[in-house]
């Protein structure tokens, strides 16, 4: 299958090359594909990924077809495969897909046009991982030896699962923290205060209430006090350490309002970088390099 489905398919050299390409695009390098059309198919809510992909496509001079799942023939029983096969038959040159189903792309093996994964259930979110890595690289200029703690609703997070695998491959030390009920033991767990004192990167996650089968065991107020990035915890962090979050953010839950845009926060920079990594991925795929 063509496109980008998971970073597990890419070597660390290829990932570093994509980050360098995104940095070049951020510095002003331009490339254009005016004859191409790409459709964005979002079957799950999104602000950043959906519109960041659209900005990336527009910056590359590509025509964007925005699929509206609620007014489509899905209500008449059309499958994901038949929807994507239809876009292929219409002459579209690629599709961006976000879907609630993990590895939805395994149902699309007969599709010949590139598929760009905008997130599959709680499994993976490859362009989010790339933009996180680009932001870390811009900060430190390397990955090896950096210490990152991912904090919060780990078990429901595609960002955590995707990032842990690739960060470890790039030589980073990755830890997790947060409530035991969200600990799926995908990395070593450490207390949050210890993480704040020792990490280079604290990556916060939203509590994904919409994916929970059972009500969270503690209140949001208690969550914020025990596991949130409060002003006091931000002050414990090393001088050059940074705070990241894939967003959407819940101010007052996993992050205090006053910390969300503080000097250490790279949350909005991550969003900006998302446009450039998506441009890099789309361009590389259309050029046949990915
Ligand atoms: N970070 C992220 O994937 O945000 P959206 O759900 O708004 O796309």
């Amino acid at each position: 299958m063509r496109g980008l489905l998971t970073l597990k398919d890419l070597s660390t050299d290829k990932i570093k090359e994509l980050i360098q390409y995104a940095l070049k695009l951020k510095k002003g390098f331009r490339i254009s594909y005016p004859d191409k059309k790409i459709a964005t198919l979002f079957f799950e809510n999104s602000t950043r990924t959906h519109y960041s992909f659209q900005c990336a496509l527009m910056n590359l001079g590509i025509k964007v077809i925005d699929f509206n799942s609620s007014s489509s023939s899905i209500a008449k029983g059309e499958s994901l495969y038949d929807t994507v096969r239809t876009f292929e038959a219409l002459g579209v040159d690629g599709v961006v897909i976000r879907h609630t189903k993990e590895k939805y792309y395994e149902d699309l093996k007969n599709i010949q046009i590139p598929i760009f994964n905008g997130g599959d259930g709680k499994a993976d979110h490859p362009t989010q991982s790339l933009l996180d890595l680009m932001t870390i690289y811009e900060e430190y200029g390397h990955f090896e030896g950096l210490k990152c703690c991912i904090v919060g609703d780990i078990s429901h997070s595609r960002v955590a699962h995707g990032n842990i695998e690739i960060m470890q491959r790039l030589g980073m030390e990755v830890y997790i923290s947060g409530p035991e009920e969200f600990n799926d033991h995908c990395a070593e767990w450490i207390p949050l205060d210890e993480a704040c004192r020792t990490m280079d990167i604290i990556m916060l996650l939203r509590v994904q209430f919409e994916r929970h089968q059972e009500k969270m065991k503690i209140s949001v107020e208690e969550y914020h006090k025990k596991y949130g990035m409060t002003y006091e915890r931000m002050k414990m962090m090393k001088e050059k350490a940074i705070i990241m979050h894939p967003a959407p953010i819940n101010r007052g839950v996993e992050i205090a309002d006053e910390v969300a845009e503080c000097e250490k926060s790279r949350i909005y920079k991550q969003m900006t970088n998302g446009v450039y990594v998506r441009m890099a991925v789309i361009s590389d795929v259309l050029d046949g390099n990915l």
Side-chain angles (χ1 to χ4, degrees):
M1 291 173 80
R2 292 169 60 209
L4 179 62
L5 306 173
T6 167
L7 293 190
K8 292 184 185 87
D9 293 339
L10 304 188
S11 67
T12 53
D13 282 349
K14 186 68 206 178
I15 287 162
K16 288 177 186 171
E17 192 186 303
L18 280 168
I19 292 166
Q20 290 303 326
Y21 190 17
L23 288 166
K24 188 168 149 183
L25 288 159
K26 192 173 180 180
K27 282 190 190 130
F29 175 76
R30 283 294 168 266
I31 184 160
S32 187
Y33 304 86
D35 298 332
K36 301 289 185 192
K37 298 184 283 294
I38 290 187
T40 52
L41 285 65
F42 278 70
F43 297 89
E44 191 187 80
N45 292 355
S46 168
T47 303
R48 274 144 297 278
T49 313
H50 193 162
Y51 298 101
S52 166
F53 260 112
Q54 292 204 352
C55 288
L57 291 164
M58 287 176 198
N59 289 349
L60 292 169
I62 296 169
K63 291 171 195 75
V64 182
I65 300 171
D66 197 23
F67 172 74
N68 183 338
S69 61
S70 57
S71 64
S72 74
S73 285
I74 286 173
K76 301 176 196 166
E78 184 173 80
S79 67
L80 174 65
Y81 173 78
D82 280 321
T83 304
V84 179
R85 186 72 186 87
T86 299
F87 276 103
E88 186 174 51
L90 295 176
V92 161
D93 298 289
V95 285
V96 178
I97 302 176
R98 169 173 286 189
H99 206 280
T100 50
K101 186 177 172 187
E102 285 181 33
K103 299 193 179 178
Y104 65 79
Y105 45 81
E106 288 182 347
D107 299 340
L108 304 176
K109 284 186 178 138
N110 287 341
I111 299 295
Q112 303 300 315
I113 56 173
I115 298 165
F116 302 93
N117 185 6
D120 57 302
K122 55 187 183 191
D124 221 324
H125 194 352
T127 57
Q128 177 70 43
S129 294
L130 281 174
L131 74 87
D132 290 341
L133 294 173
M134 176 180 174
T135 307
I136 291 168
Y137 186 83
E138 269 191 321
E139 197 69 33
Y140 293 104
H142 66 96
F143 297 108
E144 298 76 16
L146 290 176
K147 293 167 104 175
C148 174
C149 184
I150 305 180
V151 183
D153 190 353
I154 307 286
S155 55
H156 299 98
S157 171
R158 54 187 164 222
V159 174
H161 297 133
N163 276 357
I164 289 169
E165 192 270 340
I166 184 57
M167 284 176 171
Q168 287 175 337
R169 266 206 287 151
L170 287 164
M172 292 174 63
E173 279 181 45
V174 191
Y175 302 85
I176 56 174
S177 190
E180 182 53 34
E181 64 181 297
F182 301 142
N183 179 2
D184 62 5
H185 306 277
C186 54
E188 186 183 334
W189 188 95
I190 58 168
L192 182 54
D193 287 355
E194 181 188 333
C196 289
R197 284 192 207 95
T198 56
M199 296 289 127
D200 300 299
I201 301 134
I202 297 284
M203 184 173 286
L204 305 165
L205 299 175
R206 181 176 66 89
V207 181
Q208 300 199 37
F209 294 104
E210 74 280 12
R211 294 193 203 277
H212 294 180
Q213 305 291 333
E214 287 169 25
K215 202 169 176 292
M216 189 166 68
K217 291 192 176 109
I218 53 173
S219 68
V220 290
E221 292 79 14
E222 208 178 337
Y223 183 96
H224 183 65
K225 212 167 140 188
K226 282 186 164 169
Y227 308 110
M229 179 53 76
T230 57
Y231 180 82
E232 292 72 28
R233 289 201 177 102
M234 182 270 286
K235 283 293 187 193
M236 287 179 195
M237 291 174 67
K238 294 197 289 188
E239 193 190 336
K240 294 203 168 145
I242 58 170
I243 297 167
M244 297 175 70
H245 190 314
I249 54 176
N250 284 319
R251 292 174 189 244
V253 185
E254 69 273 6
I255 188 163
D257 189 25
E258 61 195 326
V259 178
E261 295 177 61
C262 74
E263 212 177 290
K264 287 193 171 301
S265 169
R266 298 292 178 272
I267 297 172
Y268 289 92
K269 190 173 187 185
Q270 287 172 263
M271 295 176 204
T272 303
N273 286 345
V275 176
Y276 297 107
V277 295
R278 288 170 180 129
M279 286 171 73
V281 167
I282 296 161
S283 169
D284 226 28
V285 168
L286 293 179
D287 288 350
N289 299 325
L290 186 62

